[in-house]
Amino acid sequence: MATVFQAGLFKGHAALVTGGGTGICRGIAAALAAQGCDVAILSRKAEHLDGTAAELRQHGVRALALAADVRDAIEVDRAVAEAASTFGRLDFVVNGAAGNFICAAENLSPNGFGTVVDIDLKGTFNVSRAALAPLKKRGGVILNISATLQYLGTMGQAHASAAKAGVDTLTRTLAAEWGPYNIRVNGIAPGPTEGTEGVRRLTSDASRAGVLAQCPLGRMATIDDVANAAIFLCSAAASYVTGVTLVVDGGLWFKSDRLFRND
């Protein structure tokens, strides 16, 4: 990836990245590894992990693939304990596991709504709670991957918007409660990001053209854009930043009217 940071920034550190086998969180995991960080990646399905873990090891770091469902607190506790034990420490936790689909609220089932909340919001809490003990040993960073859906009335996204609004609030609450342990808790709210499953599944050619037309910076986000923001928030450059959800979307959210499919 293209980076502006000094090489080896996180040598001797260790991270856990949920959803790290694909998409944005795969990019964040790769960025951490490129900076010398050992990285554990976690996903519900093992097939999403092994190839990415092998690529991370090419940076000369240790990489661990962990299959666990973030909705299951017992599975999460086991996975976090394995990562901390294998690496001997845990410095960074990136909560990126998420689920989403397009559905108008009037057609949305309670199960569909609850599933997204369970993955995005409960999963973020489960992983953060499990990681507290190893993070308390030397301090560290929790980084929650949010979205910009909840900042507008994004149609077809009642479930995901509610979940991500909860994630943003959880970020602030944990930042307040866990700051005394020298744990910083921040978030990143990416806009539509090129090369991700979300953009492929949730947007149309017309809506993607609308993104380019409406975005003040004139392009869609890249995975590297989001990964660089993650490196910044994990680094000492952000040592006095906590409770913040950083929007990385080129200014799109405050101009856009509709980003998703309407077909």
Side-chain angles (χ1 to χ4, degrees), residues 116-161:
V116 172
V117 170
D118 284 349
I119 297 171
D120 291 31
L121 180 53
K122 288 186 180 179
T124 295
F125 173 76
N126 287 341
V127 174
S128 299
R129 178 179 176 276
L132 177 59
L135 288 174
K136 283 172 69 173
K137 292 181 178 179
R138 9 178 110 71
V141 177
I142 295 173
L143 186 59
N144 299 326
I145 305 304
S146 183
T148 58
L149 307 168
Q150 66 277 20
Y151 303 145
L152 300 169
T154 306
M155 294 191 297
Q157 291 286 275
H159 44 314
S161 295

